[in-house]
Amino acid sequence: MTNEAGLSDEHSVSVERLTKTFPHGDRMLVALQEVTLEVQAGEFVCVVGASGSGKSTLLNVLAGLEGATAGQAHVHGRMALMFQEPALLPWLTAAENVELALELRHVRRAERKATAQELLELVHLHGFEKRRPHELSGGMKHRVALARALAQDADVLLMDEPFAALDAITRDLLHEELLRLWSSKGLTILFVTHNAREAVRLGDRVLVFTSRPGRVAHEIRVDLARPRSLDSPELAVIAGRITERLKQETRLRVG
Ligand code: ADP
Ligand code: MG
């Protein structure tokens, strides 16, 4: 099935009244309470929330790493998950890290090398194929992780604060990279961050999470034209409003 944009309707994310609780001493901690959201095929949606608002729990349930307590959470399409840490295997080269993802998909050995090379070129790592993770900068390691995610032939990327540990300039470059791949490959992206500017820079929509229990408190549609600059006053205004809401939510919880 394809829509007008030529994208498959299957490459989407749907979450309906998802509740997730964890045992917490003799009580229950409600990490997510009746969260409902949708990411349509080809859409880029960001979730912002303070730490502890259940953002990682949401992605973990979507990825099948945690079960839902109640409600539904589904990814339609082939999914790749990216974390804050690039989580490369230190004894493998950049190329071998990507090849491993291909091998897990049963891509034939002869094809693996060429495909890994292509993917590393796509994230601008040409010439760094033979380096091991410790010989790469933080930004380069994230590029390898991005290439590895693409090697999984994912249509849907679930990203959990993937660039939070990087400096501002490297992060900005990776935003550009990610947006380029998103539009050229027609990816569907659910991107979690605690940074309102990053969310407005990237997303078609931004969902603001409250804490304890995690819920979708607000939804902001970002109508700014792309490419967007992190330094633009329009972006700063929208991000400012989101930050204000996050602060209000946090004050409500902390008192
Ligand atoms: P965020 O990613 O927004 O910082 P998390 O999803 O990591 O938030 O956590 C939400 C809440 O759920 C926190 O209070 C956290 O302590 C709790 N939590 C997350 N994972 C577990 C777990 N495996 N066991 C118990 N509590 C957890
Ligand atoms: Mg988290």
Side-chain angles (χ1 to χ4, degrees):
M1 242 192 325
T2 56
N3 62 16
E4 341 42 306
L7 298 164
S8 165
D9 288 341
E10 295 301 302
H11 305 160
S12 60
V13 175
S14 57
V15 177
E16 220 189 305
R17 302 184 68 154
L18 172 67
T19 295
K20 176 68 185 175
T21 59
F22 293 108
H24 187 67
D26 51 3
R27 296 187 307 141
M28 291 306 255
L29 185 145
V30 185
L32 295 171
Q33 187 170 54
E34 303 218 335
V35 170
T36 295
L37 62 90
E38 200 173 312
V39 186
Q40 287 169 6
E43 205 183 9
F44 199 137
V45 172
C46 293
V47 168
V48 264
S51 115
S53 58
K55 304 183 298 297
S56 294
T57 303
L58 170 70
L59 293 197
N60 290 341
V61 174
L62 275 169
L65 301 174
E66 299 266 13
T69 305
Q72 309 277 336
H74 293 294
V75 173
H76 310 278
R78 201 190 283 271
M79 167 202 72
L81 187 57
M82 278 184 75
F83 302 102
Q84 184 167 334
E85 293 304 321
L88 303 176
L89 296 176
W91 59 89
L92 297 181
T93 64
E96 287 164 349
N97 267 284
V98 178
E99 284 168 33
L100 183 61
L102 295 168
E103 191 176 342
L104 294 173
R105 265 181 56 215
H106 309 293
V107 175
R108 277 179 302 133
R109 185 186 292 270
E111 258 176 67
R112 293 204 289 261
K113 240 188 172 55
T115 307
Q117 172 85 25
E118 259 169 47
L119 289 170
L120 287 169
E121 274 174 28
L122 202 60
V123 296
H124 296 147
L125 278 180
H126 181 65
F128 295 91
E129 297 85 351
K130 294 209 167 75
R131 303 263 186 114
R132 286 178 208 282
H134 75 275
E135 299 168 312
L136 297 169
S137 70
M140 288 172 165
K141 281 187 255 199
H142 279 79
R143 285 169 195 268
V144 178
L146 201 51
R148 183 185 51 191
L150 297 172
Q152 294 168 49
D153 202 21
D155 324 294
V156 181
L157 294 187
L158 303 179
M159 309 184 82
D160 192 357
E161 310 207 33
F163 309 139
L166 298 174
D167 64 88
I169 296 169
T170 306
R171 186 160 59 228
D172 197 47
L173 286 171
L174 279 157
H175 286 163
E176 281 172 23
E177 252 2 54
L178 180 63
L179 288 166
R180 188 173 53 82
L181 294 168
W182 167 63
S183 62
S184 67
K185 292 187 165 284
L187 299 171
T188 302
I189 301 183
L190 182 59
F191 188 105
V192 160
T193 174
H194 59 260
N195 183 328
R197 289 170 79 99
E198 178 170 55
V200 178
R201 160 99 202 256
L202 296 172
D204 296 320
R205 282 188 292 136
V206 177
L207 307 176
V208 180
F209 262 44
T210 58
S211 303
R212 269 166 280 222
R215 283 186 311 109
V216 180
H218 307 282
E219 176 183 330
I220 291 115
R221 187 167 285 282
V222 186
D223 286 323
L224 300 176
R226 300 177 186 275
R228 300 172 186 159
S229 159
L230 259 191
D231 303 317
S232 85
E234 295 87 353
L235 190 147
V237 169
I238 303 174
R241 269 189 232 133
I242 294 175
T243 305
E244 207 38 59
R245 294 199 151 161
L246 284 172
K247 275 196 206 151
Q248 277 172 13
E249 295 294 342
T250 308
R251 270 190 221 112
L252 284 175
R253 306 295 136 180
V254 181

